[in-house]
Each structure stands twice: as structure tokens, then as C-alpha cells.
């Protein structure tokens, strides 16, 4: 129960054990930061066209527009890597927050209406305005995701007890179901929409350049920073509503705030990359398996593990099918799922 | 306490506690029976209604007479038995199967989101069918068989992966997520790379439609349902015990693992057969259970009620998809649109229930 308050005078032995565990966890965070740097570097250098370090540096200090290698780095790989890092962090944290606030291991933004909200908005856009480039979808996707998530929360908050975990989960599932009907209804009658949708629904980092990054980065940054300070609230909620209230939390307000943060995180990620489900659903479980159920550790671990996983999967997707590439969503499912199953088998994962 | 003191002397005293408890219990049981009967009647009425409406309207009595072979009228028999009955029976059967199996899953795994849609069983069927349609250009009975195989294989895989000195609901759910992600990724990849026409064929199968079942699939589905539905109702008693938690159930003398395996097998078979006949009609299994439980106010096992709610959703969806929309659409397009608003309305109005099922 290392949740909200520590005992004023801890006995020496457990304190030392706790300190050792803390040191181990901090070391883990440092190692993961190193891994993230390495993976980000690999994401910039590796690909259909390999490039050296000198080219990377020169493409920023002394840019030569005629050099294809420098252009690839500057216009494709670097923005792609940055989006990968930001989206990875956002997806992972969004999943962790949602699982914490609904106390449901199956909760992730796609079940809470975010993904289907974005998809529905995009499909309606295509139906009304015709097929457009990816850049114009971003705002519609974001708005759709936000609207759907707010609807879920509003539905769940009706009634005397407010938005309880069970009602949140059911409201999310119900709103998702309604939106799914809308999406498939349009897609089945509009060939343009079907064609765009089947590509969009496999999440990908490809062809996301500076324009998209310029549109969404403030949302990513604000969302990620806000998510990191919610750890104490989530720890309180994990004890159940009654105990959380007794510990002095305003449960309803906390839930509402966390939901707003999740909307910003998941909405911007879905808008930027399309639905990438695996990260938000699985990485929080992975983080809990490493560092235990205390959200003050789970959130930082999720923050670092998610982009590592996303970028690594993206790199694998670029390398296995040269000269083409496999979307990151596909790679995550095909490689990540068996790995996750092994993990679940080996350890007793913390229940929520 | 105050109102007891304030009560005028001439009012009758409250009944004995045991009498009151017994009366309350009888009232609640009666409520379960009444609600379930009404749901069944609504499902039957919709079943008849889907066969009445069309380019050639048929009266309710003619439909019933023809369906149950009470009288012979060749032209009516052709319209009802040959043209409309297969679709209506498929919708009814698929709805019953999905509704019941969905609630069994949710209760067994202790999670309202743990319907076959999300724990990897429908996605296994979808992946197998999508690959069969796009890569091997299969159709009809072959796709159904492959989908059945996919659903059973993925359920078996989840169960085996989740086995470690027994299967717990929590581990089953987590492994189900992993397996589901695996299949969804491959399905998305196959569809994104296919020709547009193939992709459209695959996606319309993936949406699910009660009109696509052939005579053979339908016969298999009906015969299996006749066995599986009573069986799962019988096993529903064990479900109530498992819900108390593994330790309590064991203490009450239930062989938890055997009961869980039996219930899982029955409900997986129900989903697999329904999916093979009509494709993965989305969200019926997810929504029917909670709606039934809320209508019954949490009394009874709710399995039969959930089956009827499932049938109502699919039959209504079929009616809307075939007649109410400008273009004829697959049933699966409408199912979520019909069940979801009702569940939302229930969530918004049922105040008494907060934390529970």
C-alpha cells in the first residue's frame, strides 16, 4: 500500500529494502532511456536506404537539397521518428490511465470510443467532401475522437453513483458499437471511403511528415505532461472508490480530469498515425510486470517502453519487406502478441 | 425508527420478517419469469414480422400457418418457406446463440467487456475467413467451414496458452487480448493489400449478414442449437457459483476447472456456429448480456433473457437493414446501431446499479 502517504517513521529494515527496490527501478528507467535513444538513432539511420552519422548531422547543419540521402533524413526519417516517439508515449500513457481509471484490464482507447470516433469523423468527411490527403484528416480525426470520448463519459456519469468503472466500460463499448455501425454503413456504400478506410485502419508511421507533426505536437506534449502527474490519483482509485474518497480524493472530479487527458493523448495519436491498438493495451501490463502496480513507477516505465516498442516495430517493418514496408500496426500484432502471451504465461500479472 | 413510532395505532403491523423475505423472493422470481416471457414473445413477434414484410406482404396468420405447416397454399408457402424463412431463422438462431454465449463469457470471465468480440474468438474466425476469401477466392460453405475452424482453433489456443495449473478468468482475458491483436493485425494487412473488389467481398463478410447462410450451414446451426441451448441453460447454475470466485466455488463443492472448461466449450461452440453461418455480427454478444441483466434487475442467471435479447437485436437489425434503409446493407452494419442506444438509455436511467454486473 505505498499509495498516498508513507508512514512517518518507517522501521529501518523495510525502508532499506524499499530504497534498494527504488534504486533498481531508477536504474531500469535510466537503462530504458538509453535504449530509447539507441532505437531512435536506429530509426533515423536504418531503412530501405541506409545512411551514415555524418549525413544525418550534415542534413541539419549544412543542408543540401540536392542530396537524396539528406532529404530522406530531414523530411522523412526525423519527423517519422519524432512522431513515433510522441505517439508511442501518448498511446501507452493513454492506455495506462484508462486501465487505471476504469480498473479494467481490457480498457484501451479503442474500446472507449476514441478510435471509432476518429474513424467515423474521417469517413463522414470523405463522404461529404470526397477523399483528401492525410493532412486534412488530422483535425477531423481529433475532433471525432474527442467527441466520442466525451459522449462515453457523459453517458457513464448519468445516475446516482456517477461514472463507475463498470458503467464506463459498458458505455464505451456501446458508443463504439453505435459508431462502428455508422462507419461500416458508410464504408459499405461508398467505395472511396472503403478504399481510404482499409488503409487508414492499419496504423502506420509512414508518410507522416512535418506538416502532421506541426499540427499535433502541442497536444502530445500537453497530454503527456499532464498524464505523468496523475499517478497519485490512479493509486488512490486503484483501492476502490470508497477508500479513495476516504483518503480525501474527489473521485468524480479525478475521473473526469483523467478522461480529458486520455482524450487529448489518444485523440492526437489516432489523428496522427491511425489506430495503433497494441501499445495502449499491452505496454501498461508490461510495465506493471516489471515495476509493480504503483502508478508512480508504472507511468514512467510506460512512458519509455511504449516508444521503444513502437519504433522497434516500425524499424522491423521497414527492414523485413524491402523495398516496400510493413505497417507498424501489423508488425506489433504479429510479433508483439506472441511476446505478450509469453509474458502473461510467465508471470502473474497484477490485477487492476 | 421515527416512522414506526409515528404510525397511527389502527394501521396493521408489518408482516413477520420471514414472510416478508419469502414474499420478496417470490416477487423477484415472478418478475424474472414475466420479463423473460415478454422478451421471448417480442422475439417471436419480430421473427414473424420479418417474414410478413417485403414486396409481397403476407399476413401474420399466413406466415405462422405456413411456417408450422398448418395449411397448404403453394404461393404463400413459396414466399414464406423458400424465400423468407431461411433468413428469418438464421437471424433468430444467430441472435439466440450470440446473446447467450456473450453473457456466459462475461460472467465466466468476470468482465463486462469480455465478450467473444474482444477476447479473440471472432477475430480468429475473421482472419481465417478473410484469408480464405482474398487469397484462395473461396466462397459459401468453404468460408463458413474455415471460419468455424478459425473460431474453435483460436479459442483452443487461448485456453491452452492460459493454462497454468488451471485457467483463471483474468489470464484468459489477457491472453485473449494478445491472440485477438495477432489476428486483427493479419486481417488488416491482408485487406489493405488486396484488390479493391476482393477487399470489399472480405469486408462485407467481416461485417456479418444473416442473408448469407446456405441451407447446409443453417441445418448444422439449428441442430447444434437444439443441443447447445438447453445444455448451457442447465450449466447456468454452475455459472452462478463460479461468479462467487474460484475459492468460494471450490468450497461449495464445485469442480471449478471442469465447470469452466465445459461452459467455455459450449459458449465457444455457440459463437463459432453463429459466426460460420452469418459472419461475425458485431456487438450482439457484447450488448445483449448487459441489457438482459439490467432488465431483470440482476435477478436469476439471465441466460435465457440474454438469448432472447440477442435474437431481438439481430431480427430488428435485419428488418432495418433490409427494409428501412435506402440501400440494402449487411445485418452487422445495423446491430450496433440498434443495441447501443438502448444500452446507453438503460445505463443512463438505471440509477440503483453502480458497481455490480
Amino acid at each position: 500500500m505505498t499509495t498516498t502517504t508513507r508512514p512517518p517513521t518507517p522501521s529501518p529494515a523495510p525502508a532499506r529494502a524499499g530504497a534498494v527496490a527504488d534504486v533498481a527501478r531508477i536504474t531500469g528507467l535510466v537503462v530504458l532511456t538509453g535504449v530509447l535513444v539507441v532505437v531512435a538513432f536506429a530509426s533515423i539511420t536504418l531503412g530501405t536506404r541506409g545512411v551514415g552519422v555524418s549525413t544525418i548531422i550534415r542534413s541539419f547543419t549544412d543542408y543540401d537539397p540536392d542530396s537524396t540521402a539528406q532529404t530522406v533524413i530531414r523530411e522523412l526519417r526525423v519527423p517519422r521518428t519524432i512522431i513515433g516517439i510522441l505517439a508511442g508515449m501518448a498511446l501507452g500513457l493513454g492506455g495506462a490511465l484508462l486501465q487505471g481509471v476504469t480498473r479494467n484490464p481490457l480498457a484501451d482507447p479503442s474500446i472507449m470510443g476514441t478510435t471509432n470516433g476518429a474513424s467515423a469523423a474521417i469517413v463522414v468527411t470523405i463522404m461529404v467532401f470526397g477523399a483528401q490527403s492525410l493532412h486534412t484528416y488530422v483535425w477531423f480525426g481529433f475532433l471525432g475522437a474527442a467527441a466520442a470520448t466525451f459522449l462515453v463519459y457523459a453517458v457513464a456519469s448519468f445516475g446516482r453513483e456517477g461514472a463507475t468503472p463498470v458503467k464506463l466500460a459498458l458505455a464505451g463499448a456501446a458508443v463504439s458499437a453505435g459508431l462502428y455501425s455508422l462507419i461500416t454503413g458508410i464504408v459499405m456504400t461508398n467505395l472511396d471511403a472503403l478504399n481510404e478506410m482499409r488503409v487508414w485502419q492499419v496504423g502506420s508511421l509512414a508518410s507522416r511528415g512535418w506538416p502532421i507533426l506541426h499540427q499535433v505536437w502541442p497536444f502530445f506534449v500537453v497530454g503527456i505532461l499532464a498524464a505523468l502527474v496523475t499517478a497519485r490519483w490512479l493509486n488512490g482509485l486503484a483501492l476502490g472508490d470508497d477508500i479513495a474518497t476516504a483518503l480525501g480524493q474527489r473521485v468524480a472530479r479525478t475521473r473526469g480530469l483523467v478522461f480529458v487527458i486520455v482524450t487529448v493523448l489518444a485523440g492526437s495519436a489516432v489523428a496522427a498515425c491511425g489506430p495503433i491498438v497494441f501499445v495502449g493495451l499491452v505496454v501498461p501490463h508490461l510495465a506493471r510486470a516489471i515495476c509493480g502496480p504503483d502508478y508512480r513507477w508504472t507511468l514512467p516505465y510506460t512512458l519509455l517502453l511504449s516508444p521503444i516498442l513502437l519504433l522497434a516495430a516500425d524499424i522491423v517493418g521497414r527492414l523485413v519487406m524491402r523495398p516496400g514496408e510493413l505497417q507498424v500496426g501489423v508488425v506489433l500484432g504479429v510479433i508483439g502478441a506472441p511476446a505478450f502471451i509469453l509474458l502473461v504465461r510467465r508471470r502473474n500479472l497484477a490485477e487492476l | 425508527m421515527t416512522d414506526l413510532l409515528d404510525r397511527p395505532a389502527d394501521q396493521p403491523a408489518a408482516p413477520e420478517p420471514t414472510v416478508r423475505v419469502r414474499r420478496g423472493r417470490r416477487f423477484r422470481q415472478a418478475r424474472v419469469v414475466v420479463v423473460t416471457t415478454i422478451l421471448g414473445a417480442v422475439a417471436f413477434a419480430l421473427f414473424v414480422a420479418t417474414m410478413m414484410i417485403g414486396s409481397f406482404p403476407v399476413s401474420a396468420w399466413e406466415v405462422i400457418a405456413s411456417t408450422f405447416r398448418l395449411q397448404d397454399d403453394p404461393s404463400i408457402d413459396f414466399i414464406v418457406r423458400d424465400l423468407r424463412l431461411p433468413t428469418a431463422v438464421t437471424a433468430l438462431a444467430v441472435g439466440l446463440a450470440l446473446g447467450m454465449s456473450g453473457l456466459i463469457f462475461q460472467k465466466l470471465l468476470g468482465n463486462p467487456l469480455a465478450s467473444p468480440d474482444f477476447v479473440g474468438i471472432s477475430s480468429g474466425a475473421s482472419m481465417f475467413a478473410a484469408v480464405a476469401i482474398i487469397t484462395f477466392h473461396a466462397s459459401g460453405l468453404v468460408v463458413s467451414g474455415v471460419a468455424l475452424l478459425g473460431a474453435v482453433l483460436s479459442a483452443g489456443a487461448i485456453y491452452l496458452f492460459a493454462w497454468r495449473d488451471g485457467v483463471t478468468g483474468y489470464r484468459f482475458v489477457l491472453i485473449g487480448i494478445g491472440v485477438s491483436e495477432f489476428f486483427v493485425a493479419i486481417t488488416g494487412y491482408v485487406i489493405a493489400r488486396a484488390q479493391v473488389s476482393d477487399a470489399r467481398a472480405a469486408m462485407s463478410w467481416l461485417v456479418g449478414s444473416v442473408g448469407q447462410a446456405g441451407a447446409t450451414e443453417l441445418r448444422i446451426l439449428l441442430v447444434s442449437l437444439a443441443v447447445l441451448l438447453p445444455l448451457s441453460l442447465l450449466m447456468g447454475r454452475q455459472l452462478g457459483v463460479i461468479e462467487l470466485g474460484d475459492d468460494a466455488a471450490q468450497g461449495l463443492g464445485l469442480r471449478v476447472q471442469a465447470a469452466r472448461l465445459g461452459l467455455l466449450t459450449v459458449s465457444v461452440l455457440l459463437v463459432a456456429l453463429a459466426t460460420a453461418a452469418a459472419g461475425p455480427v458485431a456487438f450482439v454478444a457484447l450488448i445483449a448480456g448487459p441489457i438482459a441483466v439490467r432488465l431483470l434487475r440482476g435477478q436469476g442467471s439471465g441466460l435465457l433473457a440474454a438469448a432472447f435479447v440477442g435474437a431481438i437485436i439481430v431480427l430488428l437489425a435485419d428488418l432495418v437493414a433490409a427494409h428501412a434503409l435506402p440501400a440494402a446493407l449487411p445485418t452487422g452494419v445495423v446491430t450496433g446501431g440498434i443495441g447501443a442506444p438502448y444500452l446507453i438509455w438503460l445505463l443512463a436511467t438505471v440509477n440503483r446499479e453502480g458497481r455490480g454486473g
Side-chain angles (χ1 to χ4, degrees):
Chain A
M1 296 284 158
T2 53
T3 46
T4 44
T5 50
R6 285 171 179 260
T9 50
S11 54
R16 203 178 303 138
V20 169
D22 281 357
V23 169
R25 285 177 182 144
I26 290 171
T27 318
L29 284 180
V30 173
V31 171
L32 284 180
T33 313
V35 174
L36 179 57
V37 171
V38 172
V39 174
F41 180 71
S43 164
I44 295 175
T45 51
L46 299 177
T48 316
R49 178 190 295 271
V51 277
V53 184
S54 57
T55 323
I56 299 172
I57 297 170
R58 215 174 309 133
S59 70
F60 282 92
T61 54
D62 179 18
Y63 179 50
D64 172 14
D66 295 333
S67 155
T68 327
Q70 290 193 14
T71 313
V72 167
I73 297 291
R74 227 180 120 103
E75 296 303 323
L76 297 177
R77 298 267 180 81
V78 169
R80 178 180 188 155
T81 306
I82 297 176
I83 287 191
I85 293 174
L86 289 176
M89 288 175 167
L91 288 166
L93 287 176
L97 258 58
L98 213 46
Q99 287 172 10
V101 86
T102 58
R103 292 213 308 277
N104 193 320
L106 279 170
D108 88 315
S110 74
I111 288 182
M112 304 311 285
T114 319
T115 312
N116 279 349
S119 305
I122 290 174
V123 171
V124 170
T125 317
I126 295 172
M127 195 178 70
V128 178
F129 300 110
Q132 315 256 324
S133 76
L134 268 174
H135 303 178
T136 43
Y137 296 149
V138 171
W139 290 120
F140 293 105
F142 192 86
L143 285 180
T149 321
F150 275 117
L151 179 63
V152 168
Y153 194 78
V155 168
S157 332
F158 272 113
R160 204 175 56 196
E161 302 206 27
T164 58
V166 172
K167 281 163 79 182
L168 274 174
L170 285 176
V175 170
S176 276
L179 288 170
Y180 172 85
S181 290
L182 179 70
I183 299 165
T184 43
I186 295 173
V187 165
M188 283 287 131
T189 48
N190 184 327
L191 208 60
D192 269 351
L194 177 116
N195 224 359
E196 294 278 315
M197 209 60 216
R198 69 184 177 122
V199 178
W200 188 80
Q201 73 181 1
V202 184
S204 168
L205 294 179
S207 65
R208 266 73 174 172
W210 290 112
I212 287 189
L213 190 55
H214 281 309
Q215 289 179 52
V216 290
W217 75 266
F219 293 99
F220 276 132
V221 171
V222 170
I224 290 168
L225 291 180
L228 286 175
V229 301
T230 59
R232 275 168 187 276
W233 299 345
L234 293 179
N235 276 340
L237 288 182
L239 300 173
D241 287 7
D242 295 341
I243 298 183
T245 312
L247 286 172
Q249 277 202 6
R250 293 203 210 154
V251 173
R253 199 184 60 176
T254 310
R255 280 225 178 85
L257 263 176
V258 172
F259 236 73
V260 171
I261 299 172
V262 170
T263 309
V264 173
L265 288 170
S268 37
V270 171
C273 319
I276 299 179
V277 181
F278 195 82
V279 176
L281 204 52
V282 166
V283 172
H285 292 294
L286 193 70
R288 267 181 228 112
I290 296 174
C291 64
D294 184 346
Y295 278 96
R296 285 174 304 176
W297 292 105
T298 310
L299 291 186
Y301 268 86
T302 309
L303 179 80
L304 292 172
L305 280 170
S306 313
I308 293 175
L309 191 68
L310 193 63
L311 285 182
D314 189 44
I315 296 170
V316 171
R318 271 185 262 165
L319 295 183
V320 286
M321 297 210 20
R322 291 199 219 190
E325 62 173 69
L326 211 53
Q327 295 91 335
V328 66
V330 178
V331 179
L332 278 172
V334 173
I335 301 177
F340 177 64
I341 291 170
L342 277 180
L343 177 91
V344 175
R345 277 188 60 76
R346 276 202 46 218
R347 288 169 164 274
N348 275 323
L349 294 197
E351 296 204 15
L352 298 175
Chain B
M1 231 30 192
T2 46
D3 74 332
L4 207 111
L5 296 175
D6 292 342
R7 185 192 297 134
D10 58 349
Q11 249 187 20
E16 290 287 304
T18 50
V19 176
R20 234 182 327 178
V21 166
R22 202 175 298 145
R23 194 179 296 162
R25 190 180 298 150
R26 208 175 300 141
F27 174 74
R28 287 194 296 272
Q29 279 169 351
R31 187 189 160 82
V32 170
V33 173
V34 169
V35 170
T36 310
T37 315
I38 292 175
L39 286 174
V42 172
F44 182 76
L46 281 169
F47 173 67
V48 173
T50 51
M51 290 190 279
M52 290 162 55
I53 305 172
S55 50
F56 184 90
V58 184
S59 78
W61 167 245
E62 283 170 326
V63 166
I64 295 173
S66 174
T67 307
F68 297 102
R69 294 166 199 266
L70 301 178
Q71 69 186 41
D72 277 327
D73 179 343
S75 59
I76 299 280
D77 281 354
F78 172 71
I79 291 171
V80 172
R81 277 192 219 155
D82 293 352
L83 294 183
R84 295 183 188 165
L85 189 60
T87 311
V89 171
T90 316
L92 181 71
V94 166
L96 288 173
L98 288 179
M100 183 170 282
S101 69
L103 186 58
I104 296 180
F105 262 92
Q106 286 160 343
K107 288 194 167 211
L108 204 55
L109 304 179
N111 189 322
L113 292 181
S115 87
D117 294 337
F118 290 130
V119 293
I121 290 153
S122 300
S123 56
S126 303
M127 195 277 273
F128 274 65
V131 170
I133 291 172
I134 289 171
T135 318
F136 300 104
H137 298 283
S139 61
L141 196 58
V142 179
V143 178
S144 296
V146 170
L148 184 70
L149 187 71
V152 173
L153 277 183
S154 59
I158 298 171
Y159 190 81
L160 284 182
F161 287 142
W163 181 272
R164 209 182 64 182
D165 305 327
V167 168
T168 63
Y170 197 79
R171 209 181 306 135
F172 191 94
V173 167
L174 289 184
I175 302 259
I177 300 178
V179 169
S180 180
E181 291 306 317
F182 181 79
F183 288 132
V184 167
I186 296 179
T187 313
Y189 176 71
V190 170
I191 289 181
R193 282 180 57 93
Q195 304 280 334
V196 182
S197 57
D198 285 347
R200 200 181 139 77
M203 280 180 86
S204 61
W205 192 91
L206 291 184
V207 169
S209 172
V210 292
Q212 67 190 11
T216 321
E217 291 104 302
L218 189 52
R219 203 165 302 142
I220 297 173
L221 175 65
L222 286 179
V223 172
S224 338
L225 274 193
V227 179
L228 290 175
L229 284 184
L231 195 62
S232 34
L233 281 178
L234 275 179
M235 294 166 90
R237 288 178 165 275
Q238 299 176 339
L239 203 54
V241 184
I242 289 185
E243 268 189 290
L244 299 174
D246 282 11
D247 294 340
Q250 204 127 32
L252 289 170
L254 184 72
R255 287 165 58 209
V256 175
Q257 290 305 330
R260 184 174 283 140
L261 179 60
L263 279 161
L264 271 178
T265 311
V266 170
S267 49
V268 164
L269 282 178
L270 284 172
V271 177
L273 288 161
T275 310
V281 182
F283 293 112
V284 178
L286 180 71
I287 297 172
I291 289 179
V293 168
R294 276 169 169 67
L295 285 178
L296 295 179
R297 304 251 169 95
Q299 295 297 314
S301 77
L303 285 183
L304 198 57
F308 286 141
V309 172
I312 292 172
I313 294 178
V314 177
L315 284 163
L316 257 183
D318 178 44
L319 266 179
V320 173
H323 304 297
L325 295 177
L329 284 171
T331 326
V333 170
V334 190
T335 45
I338 285 184
Y342 191 60
L343 178 58
I344 289 176
W345 181 75
L346 275 181
L347 277 176
T349 49
V350 175
N351 283 358
R352 306 197 310 160
E353 205 147 1
R355 239 157 291 150

